[in-house]
Amino acid sequence: MQSMNLELTLIMPELIIASAICLLILVNSFLTSEKRYTGLIIGSITMAACALISMVFLIETTNSSIFNNHYRIDPLSTGLKFTTYLISLFIFIATKTNKENTKSELVLLELFAILGVSILASSNNLLTLYLGLETLTLSMYGLVASKRSSEIATESAMKFFILGAIASAIFLYGVSFIYGLHGTLFFDQFNNETINNSIEMQLALAFIICGIAFKFGAVPFHSWVPDTYQGASTSSALFISTIPKLGAFALIYRLLYEAFIANVEFWSLLILLLGLLSLILGNIIAIAQDNLRRILGYSAVGHIGFILIGLSIGSIDGAIAALAYLVIYILMTATAFMSIEVISTEKRAVVTLTDIKDLNSTHPWISLIMLFSMFSMIGIPPFIGFYAKWIILSELINSDMLVIALIGIIVSVIAAYYYLRIVWYMYFEKNELPIMKGSPNIFQKTSISLMGLSILLLGLYPSPIINFCRSIIPPFLLID
Amino acid sequence: MIIDQLIWVPILTGLIVLVLGEKRSNLSYSLSLVISSALFFLSIYMYLLFDNTLASYQFELKVPWIDRFNINYHLGIDGISLPLIMLTTFLSPIVIFTAKTSPKNKMHQYIASFLILEGMMIGVFSSLDAFLFYVFWEAMLIPMFLIIGIWGGKNRIYATIKFFLYTFLGSVFMLIAIIYLYMKTGSYLISDFYEVSLSLNQQILIFLAFLFAFAVKIPMWPVHTWLPDAHVEAPTGGSVILAAILLKMGGYGFLRFSLPITPDASLFLAPIMIALSLIAIIYIGLVALAQTDMKKLIAYSSISHMGFVTLGCFVFFIQSGAIELDTINLAISGAMIQMISHGLISAALFLSIGVMYDRLHTRNIEDYGGIVTKMPKFSVLMVFFALSNAALPGTSGFVGELTVILASFKVNIYIALLSALTLIIGAAYTLWMIKRVIFGAVTNEKINSLSDMKLIEAIPLSLIAILILLIGVWPKPLTDTMNSTILALSYLVNG
């Protein structure tokens, strides 16, 4: 039993976020001006502070359980939190300096979502996990719906909410099964072998995996992904496409790799199936899309497929590969959405492929960064996306899953077409009537350049990402 | 260290050119011309330092890159890669030099693409680490994709996407094979792959995975269909680099990967490879005869000529009785000479077509005729290149093809006879084109107003002509460079 003081120190990032949320609510009720930067300022400072604190935890490799074993601060949780805070900082700077995005309700919701991810990452108990999950999901509904005047945003938020609520219910149903079977909610206590081998346990796991698949946006629970990417404002879509994925990784790792590792043979099959379906369907449907955001939505489904396939290997190396893929995917997709965000204006949001026609003539630098991001998503070296695909393929071949690796690469080649289409519209199409597009400010330019260059530079020297993922995943599984 | 500079100086210059922007494209042009010519002299310096007698890698540089997977930034050259690197550094300044002859949008991006491409191509030829090789091999697609797509002809988007998807599909299988070999050896070093012991079935699978990547690149029949499209739509510079250097990577891949890593599978599949080569040589040659578009004709002629490269790489395997080292040596030397020679000749032909295209904006053979009356100096060079394409003795084309045919004679007379048909077919399609384009009566009125080529167009063509002639009459410097490496390779292939 640790002292209260230590426990409070360890959850410092969460406390800071919670206080920032309270502060933001207070400040906003006294400020009425339309153009206000309180959200930007408070949000960025909070994220910077939290990132610093979790970096300290990460360096000290803090590893302890607090609050009666409900909450855990280990390298994995601090690592995921650190990534979350850092990327959120970039997102805040890139989106909230835009005069049209200053509504601080958005920052509020995003901070709630970040809090949810933090709790998810640290949970050591199904109840804590559910708390974090719902904090995250509920604020996501709000984010999607935040574009109040838009019909399509409202529609997609409604769909998202209904499907999400059902998924949460299914997940909770599975959790209640687990409690009924094991009589406990703590991750480290599901070790009764007879129960673990029972059919009821497998049923419960199937329910839980449905919930996880929904949060990840894996086929067949993917229909909300393209809808919300299309409906939400670009800044919200940027957030939704990145941060919650880290939460979903925490969810899947904590549950499958820690709590239910004894059933690895059962769940790895399910995850592999989900992964293959997402990989194939996501990438093939994306070819038929003309809406840039729907393309990115289906591409997200396809990438999730790769991540799930990595996780389905069921080994530490597989999890490391999947985490590396996830971090790299977030970097790429954030860059792509940021590029769309900074060239959109209120009157003319970038929605379809024709909106980026001949972007190379008006915004050569932004289109170069978009090009980096697209080739990176295809998996062409020297961009970082190549290493993501390569590390998953290596682990697949290492575990004798050569056929899956072959399917993966063939689908990657098919997927290359729609990424190339984006490049083609930016570079090859001629635009007779130049359309004036938004001109990014200095903050946006800086953050997008940093993200874009990191795709290239980390691609030239990928060891930091590989080593980071290696250092935060525990070196052995409980089952070993 | 020299190789390091050959790779990174052009890439960095390309980035600088991009930063300088469209307004300063004249400055960029001069800067990149100076830098790329300097690189050519640097590669000559490297050639002078190169020790012909050694079979091992020279100018090696090894720096740990991704420790976790034992991947090194490992460069080095031997007798096979040196001539190809020289070809690259020779043609890159020429391509940049000719960028000025036809005005283009976004000139700075055009030049930058070629500079970055140059660095990556040298990287492909000098990587000793399979992972590094793959990185350069794939990265090369990006500038080429943009070159065809932005500055190409009417149907450029279709052509460039076809080019990209074809080559990408081919090379991902190579990636799987490389990862598999890493799992077997625990290293990405190419020469470590030579020593791994594999069963025949494993060898065949690995051979096929590599074959897919290299066959698309060379390209071999029946995966050649991207090449005519890409060539027709690409701007002149793009066609030159594509035909002269990118295609050679397939042949280089066979010599560097397929033959030494999977000799048993090569022996087993050699009859198929020879059949495919002969189909390329004869059938594609006949297809070239039927073309009405000059660029398409040269594209098909490229496929036909590259058939000699694959023939040279595999013909010695089907020798009855023990394989003689001499035959292997002769065949592989022939393949290498053919690669260099075809690199020069096809580059020259595409440049010549570019000269005509810049004046009339058509590539249709029908639209031409009687060029010689208005452009005598140009016609001399064009006819010379056409004759070298038809393997006239005294030109480099003759040396390469004759050597491969000689090696085939030692093995099987029928193969030799069939491949020698190219001397007739090649002469037919090239000379018939020349007859219709250069000679004959002037049918198109516009031709009467043509002016002969300018100095800026004459310089690159004359330089290439000199080199073709030089290799044609005195190939010794080229063969001496390669001999020890090819001998070592023959031992590897022969087990």
Side-chain angles (χ1 to χ4, degrees):
Chain A
M1 190 70 210
Q2 279 139 333
S3 72
M4 197 65 187
N5 230 343
L6 179 68
E7 291 185 341
L8 288 183
T9 322
L10 287 178
I11 60 160
M12 196 61 113
E14 285 88 335
L15 286 180
I16 293 178
I17 297 171
S19 339
I21 290 170
C22 299
L23 185 67
L24 204 55
I25 297 174
L26 269 178
V27 172
N28 278 339
S29 44
F30 290 106
L31 283 178
T32 47
S33 152
E34 265 299 301
K35 305 254 181 267
R36 54 206 176 187
Y37 289 102
T38 44
L40 166 74
I41 296 164
I42 294 179
S44 317
I45 293 175
T46 314
M47 283 306 108
C50 293
L52 272 177
I53 295 172
S54 33
M55 197 161 79
V56 172
F57 287 163
L58 205 57
I59 292 168
E60 291 179 353
T61 57
T62 318
N63 200 347
S64 53
S65 297
I66 49 176
F67 298 127
N68 292 326
N69 210 13
H70 278 78
Y71 209 73
R72 197 148 81 194
I73 309 292
D74 60 358
L76 178 70
S77 66
T78 36
L80 286 178
K81 283 182 210 170
F82 173 69
T83 321
T84 309
Y85 303 148
L86 199 65
I87 290 171
S88 307
L89 180 63
F90 274 108
I91 292 178
F92 284 156
I93 294 173
T95 58
K96 300 300 180 290
T97 46
N98 193 339
K99 286 199 181 73
E100 284 128 27
N101 277 324
T102 46
K103 268 188 271 164
S104 40
E105 292 83 5
L106 288 181
V107 179
L108 194 67
L109 285 169
E110 284 167 0
L111 283 176
F112 264 120
I114 294 165
L115 185 63
V117 173
S118 311
I119 296 173
L120 251 179
S122 279
S123 57
N124 196 26
N125 177 299
L126 282 171
L127 214 55
T128 327
L129 183 104
Y130 193 73
L131 180 74
L133 187 62
E134 282 306 278
T135 315
L136 168 64
T137 335
L138 281 171
S139 32
M140 274 163 73
Y141 303 142
L143 274 175
V144 177
S146 66
K147 217 164 93 185
R148 272 170 300 190
S149 54
S150 155
E151 213 170 290
I152 189 159
T154 322
E155 185 198 323
S156 60
M158 200 63 205
K159 279 186 196 162
F160 184 29
F161 176 70
I162 292 171
L163 291 173
I166 295 173
S168 293
I170 293 176
F171 182 78
L172 209 55
Y173 193 51
V175 169
S176 65
F177 260 65
I178 300 284
Y179 185 67
L181 288 168
H182 283 279
T184 175
L185 290 172
F186 287 97
F187 291 166
D188 40 11
Q189 291 171 10
F190 304 129
N191 40 21
N192 184 323
E193 221 171 281
T194 358
I195 296 179
N196 278 337
N197 290 333
S198 66
I199 188 87
E200 293 90 340
M201 184 65 191
Q202 297 192 345
L203 196 64
L205 262 178
F207 281 128
I208 286 180
I209 286 175
C210 285
I212 294 175
F214 179 84
K215 300 300 163 205
F216 249 128
V219 175
F221 308 95
H222 66 288
S223 59
W224 64 272
V225 180
D227 280 345
T228 48
Y229 282 24
Q230 185 187 9
S233 65
T234 324
S235 63
S236 307
L238 167 58
F239 189 86
I240 292 168
S241 62
T242 50
I243 303 301
K245 301 281 190 273
L246 284 164
F249 183 84
L251 184 69
I252 207 165
Y253 190 87
R254 291 290 183 212
L255 283 179
L256 300 184
Y257 273 78
E258 288 185 350
F260 305 120
I261 188 66
N263 293 68
V264 59
E265 276 168 27
F266 174 71
W267 61 249
S268 64
L269 198 67
L270 281 184
I271 296 288
L272 180 64
L273 209 67
L274 287 170
L276 278 177
L277 277 176
S278 314
L279 180 71
I280 296 170
L281 285 179
N283 281 321
I284 288 179
I285 299 175
I287 293 176
Q289 307 298 320
D290 277 322
N291 186 308
L292 192 54
R293 304 221 203 144
R294 285 190 85 82
I295 292 182
L296 288 173
Y298 280 110
S299 120
V301 176
H303 285 294
I304 293 305
F306 244 110
I307 295 169
L308 288 179
I309 287 176
L311 284 166
S312 75
I313 296 171
S315 69
I316 286 299
D317 287 326
I320 291 169
L323 180 60
Y325 197 113
L326 180 72
V327 173
I328 291 167
Y329 159 73
I330 286 175
L331 187 64
M332 300 186 295
T333 200
T335 314
F337 265 114
M338 265 184 208
S339 316
I340 300 178
E341 159 76 12
V342 299
I343 53 171
S344 296
T345 58
E346 193 168 17
K347 288 196 189 90
R348 199 180 168 84
V350 171
V351 181
T352 60
L353 280 174
T354 44
D355 290 331
I356 53 165
K357 233 181 184 180
D358 206 16
L359 191 67
N360 182 29
S361 295
T362 49
H363 297 78
W365 179 235
I366 303 286
S367 45
L368 188 69
I369 285 172
M370 189 75 171
L371 175 117
F372 282 5
S373 163
M374 289 304 122
F375 277 112
S376 179
M377 287 206 199
I378 299 176
I380 300 285
F383 301 115
I384 186 71
F386 165 65
Y387 300 90
K389 290 230 162 73
W390 162 73
I391 196 168
I392 297 264
L393 290 176
S394 294
E395 295 310 335
L396 282 175
I397 294 173
N398 201 13
S399 344
D400 286 330
M401 293 159 84
L402 199 60
V403 180
I404 310 287
L406 282 174
I407 295 175
I409 54 162
I410 289 172
V411 174
S412 303
V413 176
I414 296 172
Y417 174 73
Y418 63 83
Y419 294 119
L420 292 180
R421 237 174 121 207
I422 296 178
V423 177
W424 135 22
Y425 271 86
M426 288 191 303
Y427 279 85
F428 305 162
E429 292 282 341
K430 298 278 184 296
N431 218 345
E432 285 77 28
L433 299 166
I435 304 163
M436 285 303 286
K437 295 191 189 77
S439 51
N441 62 41
I442 183 77
F443 292 106
Q444 292 180 316
K445 269 187 189 156
T446 323
S447 51
I448 196 174
S449 308
L450 276 175
M451 299 284 273
L453 285 178
S454 65
I455 290 182
L456 177 64
L457 295 177
L458 281 173
L460 293 176
Y461 190 66
S463 292
I465 280 206
I466 295 172
N467 290 340
F468 172 74
C469 294
R470 185 154 287 279
S471 69
I472 68 172
I473 297 268
F476 53 87
L477 291 171
L478 278 174
I479 201 169
D480 292 336
Chain B
M1 288 311 283
I2 297 181
I3 312 172
D4 214 28
Q5 289 160 12
L6 284 177
I7 294 173
W8 293 105
V9 169
I11 292 179
L12 287 178
T13 318
L15 296 178
I16 292 171
V17 166
L18 276 186
V19 172
L20 283 176
E22 198 165 3
K23 282 174 197 148
R24 275 168 291 224
S25 52
N26 277 331
L27 172 67
S28 314
Y29 177 76
S30 333
L31 174 77
S32 29
L33 199 57
V34 169
I35 297 275
S36 55
S37 318
L39 287 169
F40 175 59
F41 290 111
L42 188 66
S43 69
I44 290 182
Y45 176 64
M46 186 166 77
Y47 171 75
L48 296 175
L49 290 182
F50 185 82
D51 187 349
N52 283 340
T53 54
L54 291 178
S56 59
Y57 301 115
Q58 299 179 38
F59 304 100
E60 266 193 84
L61 175 72
K62 188 175 181 179
V63 183
W65 184 20
I66 307 173
D67 299 336
R68 161 83 190 103
F69 292 93
N70 197 5
I71 294 170
N72 295 299
Y73 176 75
H74 193 166
L75 300 172
I77 54 165
D78 59 7
I80 299 178
S81 42
L82 181 62
L84 292 165
I85 291 177
M86 305 273 299
L87 185 69
T88 313
T89 53
F90 173 68
L91 286 174
S92 291
I94 285 183
V95 164
I96 291 167
F97 186 67
T98 53
K100 264 282 162 79
T101 53
S102 52
K104 287 180 185 70
N105 277 332
K106 305 194 180 66
M107 181 69 117
H108 66 297
Q109 292 184 349
Y110 184 77
I111 295 172
S113 305
F114 278 108
L115 283 169
I116 294 172
L117 189 59
E118 179 184 3
M120 288 167 176
M121 292 186 297
I122 296 172
V124 168
F125 291 131
S126 57
S127 302
L128 299 184
D129 186 284
F131 192 84
L132 186 65
F133 173 85
Y134 187 81
V135 167
F136 282 124
W137 173 278
E138 285 283 69
M140 229 170 45
L141 291 181
I142 301 172
M144 205 61 215
F145 175 73
L146 295 176
I147 288 169
I148 302 177
I150 301 181
W151 297 282
K154 246 182 233 148
N155 208 4
R156 62 186 188 280
I157 294 170
Y158 168 77
T160 195
I161 289 199
K162 190 172 177 182
F163 157 75
F164 191 98
L165 291 182
Y166 248 94
T167 33
F168 186 42
L169 181 66
S171 36
V172 287
F173 289 102
M174 177 168 74
L175 178 66
I176 296 284
I178 290 176
I179 296 176
Y180 184 80
L181 286 166
Y182 163 71
M183 295 299 166
K184 287 271 170 196
T185 57
S187 147
Y188 274 102
L189 194 65
I190 297 175
S191 50
D192 280 355
F193 291 172
Y194 297 170
E195 279 145 31
V196 64
S197 60
L198 300 159
S199 69
L200 182 62
N201 279 339
Q202 286 171 329
Q203 281 207 17
I204 288 176
L205 287 176
I206 290 173
F207 181 88
L208 289 177
F210 278 117
L211 172 67
F212 209 19
F214 302 145
V216 168
K217 208 78 162 194
I218 274 191
M220 289 170 77
W221 185 87
V223 284
H224 64 281
T225 60
W226 63 270
L227 186 78
D229 284 318
H231 266 317
V232 169
E233 300 303 334
T236 304
S239 295
V240 169
I241 293 295
L242 195 61
I245 301 162
L246 258 59
L247 304 192
K248 307 300 168 291
M249 286 172 183
Y252 175 77
F254 278 127
L255 297 180
R256 179 69 80 219
F257 287 89
S258 303
L259 291 181
I261 296 176
T262 56
D264 299 341
S266 309
L267 177 66
F268 184 75
L269 294 170
I272 298 174
M273 298 300 294
I274 292 169
L276 291 178
S277 312
L278 288 176
I279 291 175
I281 293 172
I282 298 165
Y283 167 68
I284 299 291
L286 292 174
V287 172
L289 208 51
Q291 297 308 312
T292 54
D293 181 308
M294 285 190 280
K295 266 191 160 180
K296 228 172 192 161
L297 192 146
I298 302 303
Y300 279 112
S301 128
S302 293
I303 305 171
S304 173
H305 282 109
M306 291 308 282
F308 271 96
V309 177
T310 43
L311 185 67
C313 290
F314 291 95
V315 72
F316 48 83
F317 280 113
I318 58 160
Q319 192 163 28
S320 49
I323 302 174
E324 286 170 32
L325 271 185
D326 277 354
T327 321
I328 306 181
N329 244 331
L330 194 65
I332 293 181
S333 306
M336 273 303 293
I337 299 171
Q338 174 72 356
M339 283 206 258
I340 301 296
S341 140
H342 175 258
L344 295 170
I345 295 170
S346 60
L349 281 169
F350 279 118
L351 283 174
S352 310
I353 294 172
V355 169
M356 290 191 278
Y357 182 80
D358 287 340
R359 287 173 171 67
L360 282 190
H361 296 282
T362 168
R363 291 178 307 256
N364 266 334
I365 297 179
E366 284 180 1
D367 297 339
Y368 289 88
I371 292 279
V372 70
T373 53
K374 291 294 160 189
M375 303 174 71
K377 289 181 206 154
F378 169 75
S379 301
V380 170
L381 283 173
M382 178 82 184
V383 170
F384 171 75
F385 296 133
L387 289 174
S388 6
N389 199 38
L392 182 81
T395 62
S396 61
F398 176 71
V399 184
E401 288 179 15
L402 183 75
T403 320
V404 176
I405 294 174
L406 273 180
S408 315
F409 253 116
K410 285 189 163 188
V411 176
N412 183 320
I413 189 161
Y414 296 107
I415 293 176
L417 283 177
L418 282 174
S419 60
L421 275 181
T422 193
L423 297 174
I424 301 168
I425 300 171
Y429 59 71
T430 332
L431 297 182
W432 194 31
M433 178 186 90
I434 288 300
K435 179 198 161 260
R436 287 177 290 171
V437 172
I438 303 286
F439 301 111
V442 178
T443 46
N444 189 341
E445 282 172 17
K446 284 181 195 157
I447 289 178
N448 283 321
S449 56
L450 291 186
S451 54
D452 208 343
M453 60 180 172
K454 290 169 279 197
L455 192 64
I456 189 174
E457 293 162 333
I459 292 174
L461 288 177
S462 326
L463 282 176
I464 301 178
I466 293 171
L467 218 53
I468 291 174
L469 213 53
L470 201 66
I471 297 177
V473 289
W474 194 45
K476 199 167 179 299
L478 179 60
T479 48
D480 278 356
T481 317
M482 309 183 303
N483 268 345
S484 334
T485 311
I486 291 179
L487 190 67
L489 182 65
S490 312
Y491 278 112
L492 272 175
V493 172
N494 213 2

